Amino acid sequence: MMKVKPTAVSLLLLLLLHLRLIACQPTSPIKTIVVVVMENRSFDHMLGWMKSLNPEINGVDGSEYQHINASDPTSQKFFMNNQSVYVDPDPGHSFQAIREQIFGSENTSADPAPMNGFAQQPLSMTGSINMSYEVMNGFNPDMISVYKTLVQEFALCDRWFASVPASTQPNRLYVHSGTSHGATSNIAKLLIKGYPQRTIFDNIHDEGLSWGIYFQNIPATLFYQSLRKLKYVFNFHPYGLQFKDHAKKGKLPNYTVIEQRYFDSKLEPANDDHPSHDVYQGQMFIKEVYEAIRASPQWNETLMVITYDEHGGYFDHVPTPVRGVPSPDGIVGPEPFNFTFDRLGVRHMEK
C-alpha cells in the first residue's frame, strides 16, 4: 500500500490535472477516471483502525477520547472503540453541529482546531449519551473487508478533509465544481432550482473528452444547472443496465461518475453508507464497481477514486485546517453564519 497526504488539496484540481494530461498527452497511461462519492463517514470511523494493518496510517489505537463536556476535563470520557456495526439515528452534521464538534463551542478562534466536541455535540442535540458512544466508534477492519483489501493494495490518503464544514450537498457541489456557490446546508428549493457554477463536466466537454454519470436513484449531479442541458441527456446512464456492459466493452467515458442508491426501496436497499444504511451494502457496491473495472480492457488505463462527501458527525482526531484556506469564489454564505469558506470540514476517506 502507498500512503499519500494531499493536505487540503481539492479533488477537483487533481482530477482536472489528470484530465488535462489525457487531453494534451496521448501517451499518458491514465485515460479514464472513475469517481465514487460515498456518504457521511469520517476517516477514523471507517478506516482509523486500519492502523493495525499499517502503523504509517494516521488512524486510531483506542487511546483517543473525548469528554462529554468539552470545557470540563473532569467530565466523563468516551474512548474510541472498534465495535461499529449499524448506526441509527443519524449523527449531527449541520454547519452548527460541525462547528461544535471541531471547536467544542461557538468560538472558532482556536488554531489548531481542538477537535474536542464530538461526544458533547450529540448530548446537546438529543439529550442522551447513546449517540456519543456511537460517534466515538469505528469499524474493525474485518467488518469492512473490501476496504481492508483495497487499503493493503492501493494508495490511501489520510489527510483528506471535507471541502466545507457543512452537510452533504454543499460538499457534493464542491466535488465537481470546486465551490458550493455559497451553500452551507441542504436547502431543498435551491437544490431544485439548481446551482449555476461551471463544472468539471463543462470543462471536459469543451476539451473534446467524454464523461458519463451512472445513476441508481436520482442523480445528485443534477443539482448543477448546467447538467440539465438537453445536449447532456445521453451522458446519464442507468447503472444497473449499462455500467458493467460499458466496462466489459471498454467503453467507459474519460470521466466516469458512479452514483449510489441513496434511498431504500422495496426491491433494493440503499448502498451509499449514509446512516442508518447498512455499510455491508456499501461494501458490496464498491466491490462490484471495482471488479467490473478490474475485468475491463480499460483497467490498466483507469484511475479509480473512492471518497466520501463529509464525515457525518463521527469522531476524527486529526485537526481540520482552519487558517489559510482561500475562498473559491468570494461568495459569503447565508445568515446567521455568514461563512466565508476560509476553513475546511472534518477528515474523511480518500482512496
Side-chain angles (χ1 to χ4, degrees), residues 58-217:
N58 191 352
V60 295
D61 58 17
S63 63
E64 302 80 11
Y65 64 86
Q66 297 269 284
H67 288 283
I68 192 66
N69 184 336
S71 61
D72 181 4
T74 67
S75 62
Q76 180 182 355
K77 292 180 180 179
F78 291 78
F79 282 86
M80 186 62 178
N81 207 337
N82 65 347
Q83 301 300 310
S84 279
V85 178
Y86 183 82
V87 179
D88 187 22
D90 188 17
H93 51 282
S94 64
F95 183 89
Q96 56 268 47
I98 295 171
R99 180 180 60 187
E100 184 175 355
Q101 290 159 10
I102 292 175
F103 296 100
S105 69
E106 296 182 4
N107 182 356
T108 62
S109 63
D111 185 14
M115 310 300 286
N116 63 349
F118 286 90
Q120 170 184 288
Q121 191 277 324
L123 183 64
S124 64
M125 182 176 71
T126 67
S128 169
I129 64 172
N130 292 338
M131 186 57 70
S132 297
Y133 285 108
E134 294 290 354
V135 301
M136 295 300 298
N137 213 347
F139 284 92
N140 184 299
D142 290 334
M143 293 294 294
I144 45 173
S145 57
V146 175
Y147 282 168
K148 179 182 178 181
T149 299
L150 293 178
V151 162
Q152 294 178 95
E153 298 294 333
F154 298 101
L156 173 67
C157 303
D158 65 1
R159 285 191 60 83
W160 204 279
F161 300 89
S163 298
V164 57
S167 51
T168 290
Q169 297 306 334
N171 279 290
R172 281 190 168 268
L173 289 168
Y174 256 94
V175 171
H176 304 293
S177 71
T179 176
S180 69
H181 198 74
T184 57
S185 62
N186 305 334
I187 301 177
K189 65 179 180 180
L190 294 180
L191 293 169
I192 293 170
K193 179 182 178 182
Y195 284 82
Q197 64 263 40
R198 186 174 179 84
T199 71
I200 191 173
F201 303 101
D202 301 305
N203 290 349
I204 293 168
H205 176 82
D206 290 351
E207 289 286 347
L209 299 173
S210 60
W211 62 267
I213 295 169
Y214 296 81
F215 64 95
Q216 298 180 65
N217 287 146

Side-chain angles (χ1 to χ4, degrees), residues 44-56:
D44 279 347
H45 174 66
M46 291 301 293
L47 298 184
W49 290 96
M50 299 287 179
K51 183 177 181 178
S52 63
L53 307 177
N54 183 344
E56 291 189 8

Side-chain angles (χ1 to χ4, degrees), residues 289-317:
V289 172
Y290 169 76
E291 289 183 343
I293 297 171
R294 184 67 184 256
S296 170
Q298 293 172 271
W299 167 249
N300 288 328
E301 299 177 340
T302 298
L303 169 67
M304 180 180 178
V305 178
I306 305 168
T307 187
Y308 281 71
D309 54 1
E310 40 99 358
H311 78 298
Y314 293 99
F315 171 74
D316 194 89
H317 76 283

Side-chain angles (χ1 to χ4, degrees), residues 195-250:
Y195 284 82
Q197 64 263 40
R198 186 174 179 84
T199 71
I200 191 173
F201 303 101
D202 301 305
N203 290 349
I204 293 168
H205 176 82
D206 290 351
E207 289 286 347
L209 299 173
S210 60
W211 62 267
I213 295 169
Y214 296 81
F215 64 95
Q216 298 180 65
N217 287 146
I218 299 172
T221 40
L222 284 176
F223 292 139
Y224 298 116
Q225 285 182 5
S226 69
L227 266 62
R228 302 175 184 180
K229 295 176 181 177
L230 184 61
K231 68 179 180 180
Y232 290 151
V233 67
F234 294 111
N235 293 76
F236 289 84
H237 311 281
Y239 171 85
L241 295 177
Q242 296 187 314
F243 173 67
K244 289 183 181 179
D245 180 63
H246 288 183
K248 183 178 180 180
K249 294 176 179 177

